[in-house]
Amino acid sequence: MMNSEEILINVTPQETRVAIVENGSLQEVWIERRRNRGIVGNIYKGKVNRVLPGMEAAFVDIGLERSGFLHVSDFDKDLQTNGNTADATPPSINKLLHEGQSIMVQVVKDPLGTKGARLTTCISVPSRYLVYMPNSSLIGISVKIEDEEERERLRNLLSLCMTDNRTGGCIVRTAAEGVEDAELNRDIKFLCTLWDSLQEQAKTARPGTVIHEDLPLAVRTLRDMVSNDTTVVKVDSRETFKKMNSFARKYIPDLPCDLEHYPGDRPLFDLYNIDDEIERALGRKVELKSGGYLIIDQTEAMTTIDINTGAFVGHHNLEETIFKTNMEASQAIARQLRLRNLGGIIIIDFIDMVIEDHKRQVLKSLEKYLSKDHAKTQVCDMSPLGLVEMTRKRTRESLEHILCESCATCGGRGTHKTVETVCYEIFREILREARVYDEAQLLLVMANQEVIDMLLDEEATSLAELETFVKLPVKLQVESYYSQENYDVVPV
């Protein structure tokens, strides 16, 4: 079946949202908020705060709340060896950097959680067809360009262009396939001119200053996300549409899809049920069409995905039922990883299969659907327990971390103590307070309505016995703003 892709862009003064819809199904969501724009791709003039020889890394102040992290492996090889490529052993971090030193760095990962931005000195500046690397001599071709003759043409052209223009390296993006020589030559000249301008700006800039910001999300969508499968890009803001149209005319005159302004009264995302899909993507449970389901748990260390047959009973035998559920799950998992933007280590617990061919087919199916992912993925073989370990490159926060925060009541556990547990905690606290404050006239217990109800009902006898034991009356008071776990025992 031919792949048909639509890109929908919803713009408000506070945020821009981009939805990628393939064959009528939402696959990816990108959100950029005015107060918290992503900074991947931004170039800064930084100042080295600390050098950590034990970690072979340094912290660099780039003007943000937390210093960025620069590991020696993210140091440009030419800067490491001073251009001496024969010296293959990289020097230690304290020979490359010292505290107080100014350095130009680029963000490769947004700040995530409590971690600062991940930095590199391997500067790269992207355009529609190319990624220019001023400090490298590499000429690379996107792996998605499979035709060997086209790869050779592009490699020869880039080598010639770089010789004619200046030193530096380039990576050819997928969008460059079939593009005429003049277009690529114009692209490389634009990037070289831009880099010269950035270098001049960096000479006089103060440490902690942004030297170059990447394009806003809506315009970046045209540069990075449009493919030959894209049929239309719809945007619901006239002002943003004009900016995108101007950018496309200047830099992407052969845009392979239509760019349209959506003027309708009904919200653009409502037409495609995007908000409903986003809401479902924030839940743990994902229903499969067969009646099976996935349970997705995102933790600090990894994401786990469990597959269950649920209401699906099949038509033949148990093994066939399990196989069909796992096959359907492999497609759903690939979609959920993109939709939720889950990264890092991912553990998938497929339902145990006995037949080896079924295991191979499920793994092959998972890899097939993951091949459409823009993020780099790596899948390991299925373990004897039916577990599949995989990784997905993470460069920005997941959908859940962008839209949600930890519950103030449970602290992100996803559970809270039962009313019974809280009652018994209160009994223990009454004993402690009675022993410490022997001059108290009574003890006031302030708690949630459900807790007070249990103390007056099921636990009334226990409370009465406790009053007799501590020789103090206990007064109960409902505090409507207390959560189920909150309580206070106050001597009066």
Side-chain angles (χ1 to χ4, degrees):
M1 184 179 70
M2 183 178 176
N3 199 35
S4 174
E5 179 181 275
E6 296 176 83
I7 299 179
L8 315 175
I9 305 177
N10 166 235
V11 181
T12 64
Q14 295 79 28
E15 69 177 1
T16 298
R17 301 187 299 168
V18 174
I20 299 178
V21 179
E22 293 179 4
N23 300 319
S25 175
L26 178 64
Q27 298 295 325
E28 285 188 47
V29 176
W30 295 68
I31 298 174
E32 183 174 87
R33 290 178 169 166
R34 186 180 62 184
R35 294 176 56 187
N36 191 25
R37 271 192 66 183
I39 60 171
V40 170
N42 285 7
I43 300 173
Y44 294 83
K45 184 173 182 179
K47 181 180 179 181
V48 179
N49 271 349
R50 293 178 63 197
V51 178
L52 307 171
M55 294 177 63
E56 288 292 354
F59 287 103
V60 181
D61 179 12
I62 56 174
L64 302 180
E65 182 181 348
R66 293 186 294 273
S67 294
F69 181 81
L70 175 63
H71 191 264
V72 71
S73 63
D74 294 313
F75 227 89
D76 190 279
K77 297 296 185 292
D78 288 338
L79 296 177
Q80 284 183 5
T81 59
N82 294 318
N84 181 14
T85 54
D87 184 7
T89 306
S92 59
I93 192 74
N94 54 359
K95 290 185 179 179
L96 295 169
L97 297 174
H98 58 81
E99 291 186 13
Q101 179 180 342
S102 293
I103 184 172
M104 192 182 293
V105 291
Q106 187 168 33
V107 176
V108 292
K109 280 188 181 180
D110 278 326
L112 297 172
T114 58
K115 299 176 182 177
R118 182 72 182 255
L119 308 175
T120 182
T121 63
C122 305
I123 307 294
S124 63
V125 186
S127 66
R128 169 63 177 164
Y129 301 120
L130 305 168
V131 178
Y132 176 54
M133 300 175 293
N135 299 324
S136 175
S137 56
L138 171 71
I139 300 293
I141 311 292
S142 168
V143 294
K144 292 186 177 180
I145 300 177
E146 298 177 350
D147 185 87
E148 283 301 325
E149 289 186 10
E150 178 64 4
R151 293 178 66 86
E152 190 62 26
R153 179 187 79 88
L154 291 169
R155 187 176 289 105
N156 292 337
L157 175 62
L158 260 293
S159 299
L160 185 61
C161 283
M162 296 311 299
T163 302
D164 290 346
N165 287 285
R166 62 186 304 123
T167 59
C170 261
I171 294 176
V172 181
R173 307 180 76 166
T174 309
E177 187 171 12
V179 171
E180 294 182 2
D181 296 4
E183 288 285 324
L184 292 177
N185 212 358
R186 185 160 56 245
D187 233 28
I188 191 63
K189 285 181 178 178
F190 160 75
L191 288 171
C192 291
T193 303
L194 175 61
W195 175 244
D196 288 341
S197 171
L198 297 180
Q199 283 187 303
E200 286 300 316
Q201 187 180 340
K203 289 178 182 178
T204 56
R206 298 177 62 183
T209 302
V210 181
I211 303 299
H212 173 68
E213 280 189 286
D214 205 357
L215 297 168
L217 177 59
V219 180
R220 201 162 71 239
T221 299
L222 291 180
R223 186 191 71 192
D224 296 342
M225 301 183 204
V226 171
S227 68
N228 291 330
D229 293 329
T230 308
T231 56
V232 65
V233 176
K234 294 181 182 180
V235 56
D236 61 8
S237 162
R238 188 175 297 278
E239 182 182 350
T240 303
F241 169 74
K242 290 178 180 177
K243 291 178 181 177
M244 294 173 69
N245 205 27
S246 175
F247 178 85
R249 283 201 306 268
K250 186 173 182 180
Y251 296 110
I252 322 174
D254 57 344
L255 190 70
C257 65
D258 295 328
L259 176 59
E260 298 178 3
H261 171 240
Y262 172 74
D265 293 331
R266 189 180 177 192
L268 177 60
F269 273 27
D270 283 6
L271 292 177
Y272 293 78
N273 297 316
I274 301 299
D275 286 319
D276 291 341
E277 288 285 348
I278 291 173
E279 189 66 31
R280 281 193 284 272
L282 297 175
R284 290 180 69 229
K285 190 173 183 179
V286 179
E287 301 283 354
L288 302 177
K289 291 180 181 179
S290 65
Y293 60 91
L294 313 177
I295 295 293
I296 301 176
D297 286 309
Q298 187 179 347
T299 69
E300 186 72 21
M302 67 182 70
T303 297
T304 61
I305 303 175
D306 183 41
I307 296 99
N308 297 277
T309 54
F312 181 47
V313 295
H315 302 289
H316 300 288
N317 54 53
L318 178 60
E319 181 63 24
E320 195 66 25
T321 301
I322 291 171
F323 173 60
K324 287 185 176 180
T325 304
N326 283 338
M327 287 292 284
E328 186 183 2
S330 67
Q331 182 176 1
I333 288 167
R335 175 175 178 259
Q336 290 296 323
L337 294 181
R338 291 177 65 186
L339 182 54
R340 298 169 185 244
N341 191 35
L342 298 173
I345 300 171
I346 299 159
I347 306 296
I348 305 170
D349 184 9
F350 284 105
I351 306 170
D352 289 344
M353 293 173 285
V354 176
I355 302 173
E356 290 298 322
D357 186 54
H358 284 178
K359 295 180 182 180
R360 285 192 293 270
Q361 288 188 57
V362 168
L363 201 59
K364 189 175 180 180
S365 174
L366 177 64
E367 291 171 341
K368 171 190 170 184
Y369 290 111
L370 286 173
S371 66
K372 301 176 183 178
D373 200 335
H374 293 110
K376 184 180 179 181
T377 58
Q378 184 175 353
V379 182
C380 298
D381 288 337
M382 190 176 293
S383 76
L385 297 177
L387 299 178
V388 171
E389 299 174 29
M390 65 167 289
T391 60
R392 184 174 184 270
K393 188 174 182 181
R394 176 168 50 195
T395 58
R396 57 191 173 97
E397 293 276 20
S398 69
L399 187 67
E400 180 182 294
H401 284 162
I402 291 172
L403 299 179
C404 305
E405 63 182 6
S406 293
C407 170
T409 301
C410 71
R413 298 196 313 267
T415 59
H416 61 191
K417 295 175 183 175
T418 65
V419 175
E420 186 179 35
T421 299
V422 176
C423 286
Y424 295 162
E425 286 185 2
I426 288 173
F427 290 161
R428 290 192 292 273
E429 187 64 21
I430 288 173
L431 284 170
R432 278 193 288 268
E433 295 294 332
R435 288 166 182 162
V436 173
Y437 299 98
D438 51 4
E439 295 180 1
Q441 300 299 308
L442 64 87
L443 295 175
L444 174 64
V445 175
M446 297 180 290
N448 176 276
Q449 180 71 63
E450 286 76 12
V451 175
I452 297 297
D453 287 346
M454 179 170 276
L455 289 172
L456 291 171
D457 191 3
E458 293 99 316
E459 298 297 336
T461 302
S462 299
L463 182 61
E465 291 174 351
L466 187 59
E467 284 182 301
T468 303
F469 180 77
V470 299
K471 300 177 182 178
L472 279 175
V474 176
K475 182 181 177 182
L476 305 179
Q477 180 176 310
V478 174
E479 295 291 342
S480 57
Y481 60 89
Y482 275 25
S483 70
Q484 189 164 296
E485 292 189 1
N486 291 143
Y487 64 85
D488 285 302
V489 178
V490 182
V492 178

